[in-house]
Amino acid sequence: MAEAKDIKLFGAARGGFTTMVHHALRLKGVSFDYIEVDLKNKSEEFLRMNPVHKKVPVLVVDGKPIPESLIILQYIDETWKEPPLMPQDAYLRSKVRFWADFIYQKMSPQSRVIRESEGVAQKQAIEDFLGQYKTLEDGIKEDIYVQGPFIHGESPGILDVIIGTTGARLKHFKHVPGVKLVDKEQIPLLCSTMDAYAELDIVKETTEMLSQYLDA
Ligand SMILES: N[C@@H](CCC(=O)N[C@@H](CS)C(=O)NCC(=O)O)C(=O)O
């Protein structure tokens, strides 16, 4: 592809999906303009970018919008080749996509159930979520992980972006006092990769940059 000139990211600083895209762009060293979207008052300009889902993030490259964070992450990896965020091997890539899909299709909705339920239903939702985390840990160990510090090896890949970002948010999950959703005893391998991810400069820079939108 010809060198893109104009890269814009429409997002919401509070959202994990937006944070993932920030991280991926920074991992690739791509310069971009960030536009914070007021989700309570979505602009016409933003709605034109994502008329189907009307959600952030949306990456806009030379005027062409790309919605949906998992699609955006893969677009970024295919467009800016270095450093690669996916394995070279096609079978391993299918495994990465499988577990990314598991997180998006199963774990994200389940974390919403925890937030939106109470009592016995919430207790069950937490138990189910912890079971999913264990399934993810075992699956990644079996299918992808060879040696750390990251899931993808010596450098972070798409699963590190997704699991590192969501894990950092879930560590500070305050909706249910006393409940630990990210537990080193239960998911030691994922926790060690999350710790390595949290130490990356691009993660710290993103947190710092987005913090200006959180005070408002
Ligand atoms: N599947 C979407 C989910 C994005 C999403 O849920 N975005 C939230 C913010 S974190 C949003 O835009 N909410 C506004 C709304 O639903 O109106 C993705 O991966 O990009």
Side-chain angles (χ1 to χ4, degrees), residues 70-122:
L70 190 50
I71 293 171
I72 299 172
L73 293 179
Q74 294 179 69
Y75 172 88
I76 290 171
D77 193 45
E78 287 167 6
T79 303
W80 294 280
K81 303 283 183 208
E82 296 296 333
L85 301 180
M86 287 289 260
Q88 294 305 303
D89 179 76
Y91 182 67
L92 270 181
R93 279 204 299 279
S94 80
K95 291 294 178 188
V96 168
R97 291 192 179 105
F98 176 87
W99 289 112
D101 183 68
F102 177 78
I103 297 164
Y104 273 73
Q105 300 301 329
K106 300 281 183 195
M107 297 184 72
S108 287
Q110 189 65 25
S111 70
R112 200 170 321 119
V113 175
I114 298 173
R115 284 197 300 275
E116 290 171 1
S117 58
E118 49 189 36
V120 179
Q122 189 178 59

Side-chain angles (χ1 to χ4, degrees), residues 12 15-17 39 42 53-57 67-70 104:
F17 298 112
L39 294 178
K42 295 170 186 165
H53 296 300
K54 305 180 176 60
K55 290 186 181 206
V56 291
E68 287 296 312
S69 60
L70 190 50
Y104 273 73

Side-chain angles (χ1 to χ4, degrees), residues 93-210:
R93 279 204 299 279
S94 80
K95 291 294 178 188
V96 168
R97 291 192 179 105
F98 176 87
W99 289 112
D101 183 68
F102 177 78
I103 297 164
Y104 273 73
Q105 300 301 329
K106 300 281 183 195
M107 297 184 72
S108 287
Q110 189 65 25
S111 70
R112 200 170 321 119
V113 175
I114 298 173
R115 284 197 300 275
E116 290 171 1
S117 58
E118 49 189 36
V120 179
Q122 189 178 59
K123 210 164 163 249
Q124 184 61 54
I126 291 167
E127 214 170 287
D128 291 348
F129 184 82
L130 294 176
Q132 290 175 338
Y133 242 150
K134 184 80 177 70
T135 301
L136 181 69
E137 162 108 357
D138 292 344
I140 282 177
K141 203 185 284 177
E142 171 85 18
D143 289 345
I144 300 162
Y145 185 89
V146 177
Q147 59 171 58
F150 300 103
I151 293 166
H152 289 242
E154 283 177 10
S155 54
I158 278 184
L159 279 177
D160 290 291
V161 172
I162 298 168
I163 291 171
T165 304
T166 50
R169 295 166 63 82
L170 290 167
K171 270 185 194 163
H172 299 108
F173 191 81
K174 301 241 167 61
H175 293 269
V176 196
V179 166
K180 230 172 154 184
L181 292 181
V182 179
D183 186 353
K184 272 197 170 73
E185 302 287 318
Q186 300 295 318
I187 48 166
L189 182 138
L190 292 183
C191 282
S192 79
T193 64
M194 283 175 202
D195 288 347
Y197 191 77
E199 285 305 313
L200 291 172
D201 286 345
I202 60 108
V203 170
K204 293 177 184 170
E205 287 157 13
T206 303
T207 306
E208 164 107 32
M209 190 286 220
L210 290 178

